[in-house]
Every structure is written in structure tokens, then in C-alpha cells.
Amino acid sequence: MNYGPGMSQPASAMILSADPAAIARAGRVLAEGGLVAFPTETVYGLGGDATSDAAVAAIFKAKGRPSFNPLIAHVSGLDQAAALVEFNGDAHRLAERFWPGPLTLVLKRRPDSPVSLLASAGLDSVAVRMPDHPVALALIRAAGRPLAAPSANRSGRVSPTRAEHVAQCLEGRIAMVLDGGPCRVGVESTVLDLSEQPPTLLRPGGVTAEELEAVLGHPIRRALETPDAPRSPGQLESHYAPALPVRLDAAGAEPGEALLGFGPASDCVLNLSPKGDLSEAAAHLFAMLRALDRPDYRGIAVMPIPEKGLGLAINDRLRRAAAPRDKQK
Ligand code: TXA
Ligand code: MG
């Protein structure tokens, strides 16, 4: 996907097409404690050995992430996940239905869990997810261990949905980027905390709250509605931020603004989905925010997105992109 003249990015030497030889090489890098960015169905991840304190520390350093923000352990199957955390009935039902896929489950850490304590930032829970991407799954198998992988962006910036986005911000900080093309879902996984009752939605994402409730057969709590301290530090307000100010629910552009459209619209610079499809909009969201984040504009105005299904995840990311920057962590 290219969004017009002057917006294509130069290729980078650290980007390798994700063929079997590159995946095998990346697996060796990871087994030796190095860092590799790789595609998932949601966004690109910045992977390291989840069982190695040194590798996890290197991830925090490369991202510039506050070390209290815990990481997701990515697994290639249920058995591997069950060695890290205590699975319960709800977790089994959800994993059976949604794995591999954009759902992260927060569960109690097993006493013998090999996951680095640094990866879970000192919490007694660990977040686990099985990504739905052949390159990610092959890489986890090649590495022979679970991979801790935050989104492969510098902390506080927009998540990458293409290999070039990763190279732009992490060039020189990691060993390589495996290129698996653009990400299908485009927003990060749903994070559901099952370590306590009732299950709590910590981050809306690729699997919707409605889909989770249909499988569980009971309502989940939306942490976003509770005013207490964030249980998931990813809820820090300004988080997915372009450099330009972002204005939401815009009917049109003000002078100097670039309008990001949704649905039928005439005067927008880019449109998340001209036919008003939320999946298409999610897949385009981060790439289009990046494409519009240019000094020739003074701000980005975004048309309203319906607050249902995947729209919850899209609006959550947009509100963070628009949040006052003095709250940025
Ligand atoms: O789609 C995704 O989940 C992507 C791809 C690469 O898999 N990863 C991703 O990771 O978005 P990250 O690190 O950017 O976001 C992980 C989120 C954060 O909001 C973090 O606070 C939360 O998961 N989290 C991780 N472990 C947790 C735990 N033990 N308890 C509560 N929240 C946790
Ligand atoms: Mg992130």
C-alpha cells in the first residue's frame, strides 16, 4: 500500500523477506539473546527471548519503554502457553475459539514459569498470546522459546503495521526486521485479564468484547470504565501518538489540517474505509496516521468512527493519539 507521491519509504538493509532461511537465521539470533522484529496479524512485534532477563532488558532499552509496562509472551501453541501460566476454564474456552488470533490472556504466573520477571514487570500475572501469522509462529518455533514482543515502535509512538515503519524507528537498535507484508488486523490484540473475577477487558482490540462475551456466556468488565489506577499500564492516556495534534469527530478539515475520512467523504486526504467497513479501517489506521504525520500539515482531523465492534479499538487508539501531550508517558 502506498499513499501517494512522496510517501513511499526507502528500503532498509535490516529488512529481510521472511523466507525459511531468514526465519531460521532470526531464530538463532533470538536464541542467542538478540532482538528481531516480526509480523503478526495485528502489528509488528519487537521480539526477544521471554525467558531471558537480558533479552527483555534489551527490548525495554530499544523501545525506550518505561520498565513498569509488562510485555506479552508470544507462544506457538496452547501447550507452550500452559507451561507459563495457570490456565482456567474461561482461558481454555477463549483460547480454543480465538487462538491463533488477536486475543491476549492475562493469567496467573505458574510458580515454575520460565518467563523473566522483568517481562511481567513484577506482577504475579503473565500475558500470553498465540499470534495468527505464519511467520510469527514459525519464528517462535525456530527460536524454541516464547517471545516477549511489544509493538515494534519507540514507546509512545504509533504501532508499526509494515516492516518499513519498524526500520524507520528502530534502525540500528535491533538485529533485523522480518518482512511479512502489511498486517491484516492493524490494531493490537484485545487484552483480557482472567487472573481475577470477573474477567476484565484491559485493552479493546482485534477480538471484540461482544465476541468474548458470546463465548464466555457472561458479561466482562470494561476496565476503561473504572476510574482506579490502570491495571494495564498500556492504558496510560497519551500512548499512540503521531507528532501532529489529532482532532477527533471532525465534520471537515480546518485550514492546514489533513482530513482522515471514514465512509463516504469528498474532501479527505486519505480515507480509512470509503465504504465504512470497520475491519478495513482498523487495517489502515496506523499506516494512514503515519502517512499524514508530516510537517506540511498543522494537524490531523479524523471523521467520526462508530463506537461498536472493532470501532471500540479504533476509537481507543484515536483518543490516545488525540490526548493532551503533557499526559504523555
Ligand atoms: O497485538 C499485540 O498485542 C502486539 C503484537 C506484537 O502481538 N503487541 C503489543 O504489545 O501490543 P504491547 O507491549 O505494545 O502491549 C501489551 C499490553 C500493554 O498494554 C501492557 O500493559 C499489557 O498488554 N500487559 C502485558 N502484560 C500484562 C499483565 N501481566 N497484566 C496486565 N496487563 C498486561
Ligand atoms: Mg504498544
Side-chain angles (χ1 to χ4, degrees):
M1 240 177 303
N2 197 345
Y3 297 121
M7 290 183 184
S8 61
Q9 305 299 337
S12 154
M14 70 186 308
I15 298 179
L16 294 186
S17 179
D19 58 31
I23 293 173
R25 194 171 135 201
R28 286 193 296 276
V29 169
L30 289 163
E32 286 162 11
L35 304 185
V36 172
F38 62 94
T40 79
E41 79 281 28
T42 59
V43 300
Y44 274 74
L46 167 52
D49 179 354
T51 68
S52 156
D53 289 337
V56 171
I59 293 176
F60 285 126
K61 183 157 180 253
K63 256 190 92 79
R65 162 175 279 198
S67 55
F68 54 75
N69 200 351
L71 305 178
I72 299 168
H74 293 67
V75 295
S76 59
L78 199 62
D79 290 355
Q80 194 177 26
L84 313 180
V85 289
E86 312 260 12
F87 259 68
N88 55 32
D90 281 351
H92 272 293
R93 270 189 292 282
L94 292 172
E96 247 166 52
R97 169 68 182 78
F98 295 110
W99 280 8
L103 175 64
T104 294
L105 300 175
V106 174
L107 291 160
K108 289 244 179 297
R109 165 188 280 274
R110 281 176 66 110
D112 58 351
S113 179
V115 171
S116 153
L117 284 165
L118 191 57
S120 54
L123 301 172
D124 61 5
S125 59
V126 174
V128 288
R129 139 166 154 85
M130 180 181 178
D132 186 17
H133 197 293
V135 173
L137 295 173
L139 182 66
I140 297 165
R141 291 194 191 104
R145 60 205 75 214
L147 298 182
S151 47
N153 50 288
R154 295 275 291 166
S155 194
R157 311 310 294 193
V158 175
S159 294
T161 52
R162 306 178 59 157
E164 305 86 79
H165 300 165
V166 180
Q168 278 161 31
C169 58
L170 294 174
E171 182 94 62
R173 294 175 171 269
I174 60 178
M176 65 173 94
V177 186
L178 287 178
D179 189 353
C183 299
R184 175 172 59 80
V185 177
V187 289
E188 299 87 345
S189 62
T190 302
V191 180
L192 183 71
D193 188 351
L194 289 175
S195 69
E196 286 166 24
Q197 284 296 330
T200 303
L201 183 71
L202 298 179
R203 179 175 74 180
V207 173
T208 65
E210 295 89 332
E211 290 174 306
L212 295 173
E213 287 172 337
V215 171
L216 289 175
H218 55 81
I220 54 174
R221 195 157 66 105
R222 271 76 162 168
L224 310 167
E225 291 164 11
T226 62
D228 45 309
R231 280 167 73 185
S232 195
Q235 291 181 80
L236 292 172
E237 201 146 300
S238 172
H239 191 74
Y240 300 92
L244 287 181
V246 176
R247 188 166 65 82
L248 303 183
D249 295 323
E254 285 171 8
E257 278 183 339
L259 183 64
L260 180 57
F262 177 81
S266 50
D267 54 349
C268 49
V269 180
L270 293 174
N271 197 321
L272 290 167
S273 172
K275 59 176 190 274
D277 178 88
L278 288 168
S279 303
E280 185 183 37
H284 288 158
L285 179 67
F286 290 138
M288 289 190 172
L289 282 176
R290 274 171 194 271
L292 296 180
D293 194 14
R294 296 191 295 162
D296 27 334
Y297 298 118
R298 133 183 118 62
I300 302 171
V302 190
M303 287 176 63
I305 314 286
E307 185 77 7
K308 59 166 202 259
L310 260 185
L312 243 66
I314 297 172
N315 284 323
D316 170 73
R317 306 309 187 269
L318 282 172
R319 277 191 288 272
R320 291 162 201 268
R325 300 300 159 82
D326 55 3
K327 290 194 182 165
Q328 190 161 342
K329 301 287 187 324

